[in-house]
Amino acid sequence: MRNRSVSIIFGSLVLWAVATYFLFLDQQSVGKDLDKDKLSNQISRLEKQVKQQIIINQRLLEGINESKRRKKEYDRLNAPVQSPADDTGKNEYKKHEVRKPDSILLQKLMDKNDREKSKNEPMSTQDIISSTEPVHSIPSRQKLPNGNPIIAILVISCNRITVERCLDQLIRLRPDKEQFPIVVSQDCDHRQTADVIARYGNELLHIKQPDQSDIEIPPKEKKFRGYFKIARHYKWALNQVFIKLGYSTAIIVEDDLDIAPDFYEYFLGTYPLLVNDSSLWCVSAWNDNGKAGLVDESAPFLLYRTDFFPGLGWMLTRDLWLELAPKWPKSYWDDWIRQPEQRKNRACIRPELSRTRTFGKLGVSNGLFFEKHLKYIKLNEKFVPFTKMNLSYLLKDNYDIAFVNQVYESTVVSYSELKSGNIVGTGSVRIPYYTRQSFKNTTKLLGLMDDFRSGVPRSGYRGVVTFFYNGRRVHLAPSANWSGYDITWS
């Protein structure tokens, strides 16, 4: 019995030893398999990283080659633009046609500006646009092979499907697709609007604002959230046009604007002034006081300088954007741009008859001014050949002397005399104002805009608001010894 027990115990021990041995071998096998799997995974990851690095290197090489190609193309195309000259214009525009001395004047201005620019190093684009991709130096897209300027049309869009009304006109009236590339920048991530824009295919470039995050807004300004989003969108869109796409000039158009038949001609004609006269910083298609009854509809060729930034269809250069971008505000960008720190005593060109008109009653301003003012703006209907006209009268040195003389040599009249038409003579007249309140009282009687921005009245130049009333040119003007705008009048 004892021997049997010993045998059973001995057999159990042997069985346990054999089982333990095979279990140990199996664990080693599993460990080896795990090591093999781990090593295999590491090799796969390494192989993937190598492939990714090869792709990145290829893209960098392509970017460098593309930059070299663009540099060569830029050097080839960057020849001086000659001002158009044509003596075959209609009789009503003859006195504005370009003559040889004027084209020489513009050429001298261009040479002077080139010398000034060569003294200063260009601002780094790294300070303007942030990106995870390498930033290469992109030559500005300035001219076509024939020497004509390339001017991008930047359409600011959000959630209006009626953007098609604006785009239809821009495309239908566009004289040259290559000269006026259309870039539609869409915010709001609105699917229906995106679908409308997509229908235009290669007629335009559709870009989308990627940042749809909430914006930090002061508690007192929560109801003005839209103005914060608009400012953010403008900055992103302008960076895309001037920095990423490399255009040197752009016209900004909101998605709720109609345009005149000579919209493109107007900007082409004034382009040489903008790029050569350092006292100008924009050309606007808008007349703030351009309501029917306050403009001379028989003189669509008349243009003016204005200290007030009009917006609503306006042209600017890449150089100006590089100046403004680093300090771009978080909201209310249009009032910010009218401040003395930004304007720096520079002026804009504006027309007698507007080349744009808004049809967007509803928006972030909730129809502010629309019913009382904006819907009455007269849109020009006649084509004016601005590129064939002599516009050198708008250069500051020429304009200021003639303008001041015209204003202060005009007959002084009262509002009642102007309204009754009981005025001797046919020339322009002047209604004086000396205080903020007297200005406001007179503008309300005449139907003019009565507000100030940073002390500047709408459409004003040297404090003078010029308009048309009862068949007569009228200047609402301060005293002749005017010394500048009073910011407290705002």
Side-chain angles (χ1 to χ4, degrees):
M1 185 70 181
R2 184 177 179 183
N3 290 337
R4 186 177 178 183
S5 298
V6 170
S7 297
I8 292 172
I9 293 171
F10 179 77
S12 299
L13 290 172
V14 170
L15 199 63
W16 176 83
V18 171
T20 301
Y21 174 76
F22 281 108
L23 182 62
F24 177 75
L25 286 179
D26 186 60
Q27 285 178 341
Q28 280 190 326
S29 177
V30 171
K32 288 180 180 180
D33 289 340
L34 289 173
D35 289 341
K36 287 181 180 179
D37 290 341
K38 185 176 180 180
L39 184 62
S40 177
N41 290 336
Q42 289 176 342
I43 292 173
S44 297
R45 283 197 301 271
L46 193 59
E47 183 180 6
K48 185 177 180 180
Q49 290 174 356
V50 170
K51 288 181 179 179
Q52 288 176 342
Q53 188 62 45
I54 291 173
I55 293 172
I56 292 171
N57 291 342
Q58 287 176 340
R59 288 178 178 174
L60 286 173
L61 184 60
E62 289 172 359
I64 293 171
N65 291 334
E66 178 65 12
S67 294
K68 289 181 179 179
R69 186 190 68 77
R70 289 181 175 177
K71 181 67 169 60
K72 290 180 180 179
E73 185 70 8
Y74 170 73
D75 292 339
R76 184 177 71 83
L77 299 180
N78 192 24
V81 178
Q82 296 182 351
S83 299
D86 195 329
D87 296 327
T88 61
K90 297 181 181 179
N91 291 335
E92 61 181 310
Y93 308 116
K94 277 188 176 180
K95 64 179 179 180
H96 302 283
E97 290 175 1
V98 176
R99 298 175 179 85
K100 289 183 180 178
D102 301 301
S103 61
I104 292 173
L105 174 62
L106 289 179
Q107 186 60 53
K108 287 182 179 179
L109 283 168
M110 183 178 292
D111 294 340
K112 179 182 177 182
N113 285 350
D114 288 343
R115 288 194 298 271
E116 291 177 352
K117 288 180 181 178
S118 66
K119 296 178 183 178
N120 302 315
E121 294 183 359
M123 187 174 184
S124 172
T125 57
Q126 294 280 8
D127 297 330
I128 309 301
I129 184 170
S130 59
S131 173
T132 56
E133 299 176 359
V135 178
H136 301 290
S137 177
I138 302 176
S140 297
R141 301 181 186 182
Q142 292 186 345
K143 298 181 179 72
L144 295 171
N146 63 6
N148 289 333
I150 296 175
I151 304 175
I153 309 297
L154 172 61
V155 181
I156 300 295
S157 176
C158 181
N159 58 359
R160 288 191 180 107
I161 60 173
T162 51
V163 66
E164 65 180 342
R165 173 170 164 177
C166 175
L167 295 177
D168 285 346
Q169 295 176 51
L170 286 170
I171 293 171
R172 176 172 55 83
L173 295 171
R174 180 170 57 175
D176 187 334
K177 180 179 178 180
E178 298 299 321
Q179 186 173 21
F180 294 100
I182 297 173
V183 179
V184 182
S185 180
Q186 186 191 355
D187 199 0
C188 308
D189 198 24
H190 189 250
R191 171 54 57 187
Q192 290 85 348
T193 302
D195 291 342
V196 168
I197 298 169
R199 292 204 298 262
Y200 291 90
N202 62 5
E203 290 292 331
L204 52 79
L205 173 64
H206 183 194
I207 60 177
K208 297 181 180 180
Q209 151 73 306
D211 187 0
Q212 297 298 315
S213 62
D214 289 335
I215 301 178
E216 186 175 341
I217 301 171
K220 293 182 179 180
E221 299 183 76
K222 291 292 185 181
K223 62 180 180 179
F224 301 120
R225 180 181 301 274
Y227 292 102
F228 286 78
K229 290 187 175 181
I230 288 173
R232 179 175 69 179
H233 183 200
Y234 262 79
K235 183 175 184 178
W236 181 84
L238 285 164
N239 274 335
Q240 298 302 303
V241 167
F242 286 122
I243 308 303
K244 187 170 183 178
L245 297 176
Y247 292 109
S248 62
T249 312
I251 300 168
I252 301 176
V253 179
E254 286 83 357
D255 61 357
D256 61 346
L257 292 181
D258 290 323
I259 65 172
D262 59 351
F263 173 86
Y264 290 100
E265 177 74 2
Y266 168 71
F267 284 109
L268 269 181
T270 53
Y271 169 84
L273 298 171
L274 179 63
V275 298
N276 291 301
D277 186 347
S278 60
S279 70
L280 292 172
W281 69 330
C282 87
V283 176
S284 174
W286 183 258
N287 177 2
D288 279 285
N289 287 308
K291 292 191 291 187
L294 293 175
V295 291
D296 185 356
E297 296 185 24
S298 67
F301 52 85
L302 285 181
L303 305 180
Y304 303 85
R305 293 174 69 99
T306 177
D307 295 322
F308 190 89
F309 171 75
L312 292 178
W314 57 288
M315 179 166 64
L316 75 160
T317 65
R318 184 176 188 266
D319 287 342
L320 178 62
W321 177 243
L322 293 179
E323 173 191 329
L324 297 177
K327 53 180 181 176
W328 192 254
K330 293 183 178 180
S331 64
Y332 319 118
W333 70 268
D334 49 349
D335 281 340
W336 171 85
I337 210 172
R338 292 168 178 143
Q339 294 172 356
E341 295 81 4
Q342 281 64 253
R343 189 170 68 83
K344 297 179 180 177
N345 292 319
R346 292 174 291 192
C348 295
I349 300 296
R350 62 96 174 168
E352 172 79 3
L353 271 70
S354 291
R355 265 58 189 187
T356 57
R357 179 178 58 198
T358 179
F359 58 82
K361 178 179 179 180
L362 298 179
V364 293
S365 62
N366 295 318
L368 184 65
F369 295 139
F370 187 87
E371 286 298 330
K372 291 184 178 180
H373 185 80
L374 297 180
K375 74 176 185 180
Y376 300 108
I377 294 293
K378 175 65 179 177
L379 183 68
N380 178 56
E381 298 174 353
K382 300 176 183 177
F383 186 90
V384 179
F386 285 110
T387 57
K388 298 180 174 67
M389 292 168 56
N390 172 13
L391 301 181
S392 64
Y393 71 91
L394 290 163
L395 296 171
K396 183 176 176 61
D397 291 342
N398 299 335
Y399 190 89
D400 284 9
I401 295 173
F403 181 75
V404 170
N405 287 340
Q406 182 190 54
V407 171
Y408 293 100
E409 290 176 2
S410 299
T411 303
V412 175
V413 300
S414 65
Y415 166 72
S416 58
E417 289 173 323
L418 178 64
K419 185 177 181 180
S420 65
N422 187 23
I423 302 172
V424 178
T426 58
S428 61
V429 297
R430 171 165 53 102
I431 300 179
Y433 74 88
Y434 302 102
T435 66
R436 177 179 180 272
Q437 193 56 49
S438 66
F439 176 89
K440 283 183 164 290
N441 292 341
T442 305
T443 53
K444 287 179 179 178
L445 291 171
L446 293 165
L448 299 167
M449 298 288 278
D450 69 342
D451 59 326
F452 296 85
R453 291 292 186 270
S454 295
V456 184
R458 291 182 185 267
S459 77
Y461 187 69
R462 296 180 60 89
V464 180
V465 174
T466 298
F467 58 100
F468 200 71
Y469 194 90
N470 273 357
R472 191 180 294 270
R473 182 64 53 196
V474 186
H475 306 290
L476 180 58
S479 62
N481 61 354
W482 178 85
S483 59
Y485 295 106
D486 185 346
I487 196 170
T488 64
W489 285 25
S490 296

